[in-house]
Amino acid sequence: MWYISTRGMAPRVDFEGALFSGYAPDGGLFMPEELPQLSRETLRQWSALSYPSLVKELCALFIGPELIPRDDLNDLIHQAFRRFRHNEVVHLSRLKNGLNVLELWHGVTYAFKDLSLCCTAQFLQYFLEKREKHITVVVGTSGDTGSAAIESVQGAKNVDIIVLLPKGHCTKIQELQMTTVLKENVHVFGVEGNSDELDEPIKAVFADVAFVKKHNLMSLNSINWSRILVQMAHHFFAYFRCVPSLDMDPLPPVEVVVPTGAAGNLAAGCLAQKMGLPIRLVAAVNHNDIIHRTVQRGDFSLSKTVKPTLASAMDIQVPYNMERIFWLLSGSDSQVTRALMEQFERTQSVRLPEELQSKPTPVLPGSRLCSQVPRSCPRCWADPTDSLGGLSLGEERDTLYPNAEE
């Protein structure tokens, strides 16, 4: 499996190259050169698998045995999930009227990012030990990424992690999770500004390819392909638990409501769709609604300010994984994607071209969540007249609410 940049100006790399790169050298994000198409028989076989087994199957598709032999891959993923509190790792709770909640919070830090980061850390350790290398991880956080990233690599002899924490923009619990870890390889710094503002110098650092290579830098934010890869399993697992049988033709759709910030989980869902999973994604945001405006009317532009809410991980105005979604929507057209993102970086405002807006969108515009309702309560909508983009709350099809994204 090869990976190419969404902007088309960087050499292709294998999974190991994508894992250690973060941003591509041309400023884009890595995506698979080709997406495998899953047959009905494959979906039927996967439907009986546990969550960890689904992660193993997906990773085997996108990594390849020449990089990580299957037995080694199975051991790494088993090791990654050993400290989760629920024996299923991920659990689906069934509510009334076809509503379900996918519980992604059973990891050590209670953030859904524990799932992808614990696997990513195992992949890192595997390659670093083989290559006898040391790397420094640089992470910007709006709260839960920092603590989950620290948990995944703390104490590792061949990894140092630097976390930039926006002072006053994270919860007290999140700050304590980050600042009370006393391992020598963990370095946490409080910085001025919000999470979007601290992302700017991080991206500037990674744009200096020579500096990155000299100091062996990488990122564990959701720019990293490995996180998107593991998050695809959320959508497959949820679908298989919601649909009673895969013998129906066509397969019934399941609508997945994703509270979102940087759009990593949305990008993972879009990839699962492209591979043949019949899900309908609904983006739910708070007052920081750039994704809502983009999906609803093609307005990918910054608001004047980021509005602080109780859902600090969703207080994001630069959802960098939308670049992956634009690339998928454009039919893997790197020229179109590069033009959009370079204009956004120059002007902080882009109107999606008509040819993109006219295409069937992989994401439906959901309602804006009330800014004073924690993100674990996505049924409480700020504006009851704001349509959920055709979301059905009846029994004709299942609806799934995962816990907060990004």
Side-chain angles (χ1 to χ4, degrees):
M1 174 69 73
W2 291 99
Y3 294 89
I4 57 176
S5 170
T6 50
R7 303 193 188 186
M9 302 294 286
R12 69 178 189 170
V13 297
D14 60 12
F15 175 79
E16 184 180 357
L19 173 68
F20 283 96
S21 295
Y23 285 106
D26 61 357
L29 301 176
F30 282 113
M31 289 286 274
E33 189 172 42
E34 295 182 5
L35 276 179
Q37 297 301 300
L38 302 179
S39 66
R40 174 70 72 96
E41 183 56 32
T42 298
L43 291 174
R44 185 177 287 109
Q45 291 172 4
W46 283 14
S47 67
L49 298 179
S50 65
Y51 178 85
S53 295
L54 272 174
V55 173
K56 293 172 186 176
E57 293 299 325
L58 279 164
C59 288
L61 278 179
F62 286 92
I63 296 175
E66 70 282 0
L67 288 178
I68 305 181
R70 186 58 191 262
D71 287 345
D72 290 350
L73 180 65
N74 290 346
D75 290 344
L76 293 174
I77 292 170
H78 174 76
Q79 182 73 5
F81 294 134
R82 65 186 172 85
R83 296 182 64 197
F84 277 68
R85 295 180 301 278
H86 199 288
N87 59 2
E88 292 181 272
V89 179
V90 169
H91 177 70
L92 184 81
S93 289
R94 298 187 181 277
L95 307 181
K96 295 180 179 179
N97 300 322
L99 292 177
N100 306 275
V101 173
L102 189 63
E103 298 176 2
L104 304 177
W105 56 77
H106 296 294
V108 174
T109 74
Y110 294 83
F112 93 102
K113 297 170 186 179
D114 286 326
L115 290 157
S116 58
L117 281 166
C118 68
C119 293
T120 299
Q122 290 294 318
F123 301 150
L124 289 177
Q125 295 286 350
Y126 181 84
F127 288 119
L128 289 170
E129 289 175 7
K130 286 182 66 175
R131 313 292 187 231
E132 296 184 345
K133 289 177 58 179
H134 177 279
I135 54 114
T136 298
V137 174
V138 182
V139 171
T141 186
S142 55
D144 44 6
T145 295
S147 53
I150 289 170
E151 170 59 32
S152 71
V153 300
Q154 63 165 309
K157 62 183 180 182
N158 45 13
V159 179
D160 272 85
I161 183 168
I162 298 171
V163 175
L164 303 183
L165 164 69
K167 291 192 293 186
H169 292 274
C170 299
T171 67
K172 189 65 176 176
I173 290 175
Q174 289 168 334
E175 286 190 10
L176 289 171
Q177 283 181 329
M178 288 180 268
T179 58
T180 57
V181 177
L182 302 180
K183 301 294 184 180
E184 290 185 0
N185 70 322
V186 176
H187 317 279
V188 181
F189 298 90
V191 299
E192 301 293 340
N194 58 46
S195 61
D196 286 331
E197 290 168 336
L198 66 86
D199 280 338
E200 294 176 13
I202 292 175
K203 185 164 187 177
V205 166
F206 282 102
D208 188 338
V209 177
F211 184 84
V212 168
K213 287 184 177 179
K214 178 181 178 181
H215 296 283
N216 290 328
L217 301 182
M218 65 165 294
S219 174
L220 285 179
N221 286 96
S222 61
I223 59 171
N224 194 300
W225 162 251
S226 179
R227 283 188 51 185
I228 306 301
L229 167 57
V230 176
Q231 285 173 189
M232 280 194 276
H234 307 350
H235 299 274
F236 282 96
F237 181 79
Y239 182 83
F240 297 141
R241 290 301 183 270
C242 284
V243 174
S245 171
L246 270 71
D247 293 327
M248 292 174 275
D249 192 18
L251 290 174
V254 170
E255 286 177 320
V256 183
V257 180
V258 183
T260 191
N265 224 350
L266 279 181
C270 291
L271 284 158
Q273 283 179 333
K274 289 284 188 180
M275 293 171 67
L277 190 69
I279 56 174
R280 296 171 180 169
L281 295 163
V282 180
V285 300
N286 56 26
H287 283 300
N288 301 293
D289 63 351
I290 184 171
I291 294 175
H292 177 86
R293 288 183 282 109
T294 302
V295 174
Q296 191 169 62
R297 54 183 185 268
D299 174 22
F300 189 60
S301 61
L302 295 188
S303 296
K304 292 181 179 180
T305 60
V306 173
K307 298 179 180 178
T309 73
L310 292 180
S312 61
M314 295 167 61
D315 294 346
I316 292 174
Q317 282 281 24
V318 185
Y320 33 75
N321 281 293
M322 287 301 290
E323 178 165 347
R324 288 185 160 115
I325 295 174
F326 294 154
W327 185 81
L328 290 170
L329 188 60
S330 68
S332 309
D333 191 323
S334 57
Q335 187 173 352
V336 168
T337 307
R338 184 171 67 252
L340 281 172
M341 297 312 300
E342 287 180 352
Q343 181 183 339
F344 179 76
E345 288 166 355
R346 287 193 310 270
T347 67
Q348 300 186 333
S349 178
V350 169
R351 171 70 59 177
L352 296 191
E354 285 298 324
E355 56 267 30
L356 286 190
Q357 290 193 57
S358 63
K359 290 186 178 183
T361 177
V363 182
L364 300 173
S367 288
R368 293 186 301 169
L369 296 179
C370 174
S371 65
Q372 295 308 311
V373 177
R375 58 181 185 264
S376 58
C377 307
R379 291 188 63 197
C380 181
W381 306 108
D383 181 0
T385 65
D386 193 356
S387 169
L388 257 179
L391 176 64
S392 170
L393 300 184
E395 296 182 354
E396 59 183 288
R397 59 181 180 268
D398 277 339
T399 299
L400 171 74
Y401 293 98
N403 65 305
E405 200 279 322
E406 297 312 315

